[in-house]
Amino acid sequence: MNASSQARAPVLTIDGPSGAGKGAVSSRVARALGWNVLDSGAVYRSVALAALQQGLSARDEAGLVELCRDLPLAFEAGEQGIEVILDGRPLGDALRAEQVSVMSSQVAAIPAVREALLDLQRSFQAEPGLVADGRDMGTVVFPDAEVKIFLDASVTERARRRYQQLKQKGQLKEQGEDVTFDRLFRDLEERDRRDRERAVSPTIPADDAVVVDSTRMTLDEVVNRVEQLVRQGLCPPD
Ligand code: DC
């Protein structure tokens, strides 16, 4: 039997812009199915955090590629979402720091870094299946995935959700400044534009992806819809 005829674990890809709810949906669906999870945004964030810890600059392409080659990264789907473990240590909120967000979008724009992270991301494909969340999961990393979803929502709704999230956590102040809804809205618009227009792996739906617009849906409704699409994708009607 050659490699191409060997059975491989099924993959569900969930791509989409920042704040569309990919993380929450992926975590819920992965737990329900008992599948593995890949939070590819956290991969880029982990590279960024490790680079900052080692004093590497975003312009040090060779150093960053070297760092990507043996990144000891693991994910666990827990009650609170997906926990990221680097070198045996949970990273927690450190991955969400502003400095890490900025560095991660810089390293994610380097083609050689994206290339160096392909094998690591693909190594998450294991039985009984994988839920892969990101920007280019269905277009570049897992083009043969059984089920591809592009999860979208209006900028206003995504900014509103982010605002509520920060409010609940008591994090509406950053470096002494109020985080306003307007600022969140403008930041999201700006990031969307950068992600959509970048030359490598822009955030666009794969040709064979199903677009799910969650603007007027609850998390439960989105999870149900995704689970329905997975059932159809794995056992298509004749
Ligand atoms: O989804 P996130 O905010 O955690 O992603 C962090 C950064 O990584 C963000 O700038 C987008 C980028 N990213 C990417 O380029 N490709 C992916 N598959 C996932 C994230």
Side-chain angles (χ1 to χ4, degrees), residues 30-51:
R31 276 165 71 83
L33 295 170
W35 284 12
N36 304 290
V37 274
L38 165 63
D39 173 356
S40 60
V43 172
Y44 288 97
R45 286 174 183 273
S46 302
V47 171
L49 182 61

Side-chain angles (χ1 to χ4, degrees), residues 47-70:
V47 171
L49 182 61
L52 288 167
Q53 284 170 348
Q54 295 183 20
L56 288 178
S57 123
R59 282 185 300 274
D60 183 355
E61 199 172 302
L64 290 168
V65 167
E66 189 61 36
L67 184 66
C68 295
R69 295 227 184 276
D70 32 39

Side-chain angles (χ1 to χ4, degrees), residues 111-130:
V113 166
R114 302 195 74 89
E115 175 73 31
L117 291 172
L118 279 177
D119 284 350
L120 168 72
Q121 294 179 86
R122 288 179 179 148
S123 73
F124 283 83
Q125 184 174 4
E127 294 294 345
L130 174 69

Side-chain angles (χ1 to χ4, degrees), residues 15 18 22 39-42 44-45 96 101 104-105 108 114 121 133-137 191 195 198 201:
D15 289 306
S18 301
K22 298 180 306 265
D39 173 356
S40 60
Y44 288 97
R45 286 174 183 273
R96 303 273 140 207
S101 299
S104 66
S105 84
R114 302 195 74 89
Q121 294 179 86
D133 141 9
R135 306 290 195 287
D136 60 345
M137 297 295 98
R191 272 164 72 184
D195 280 353
R198 73 175 173 213
S201 301

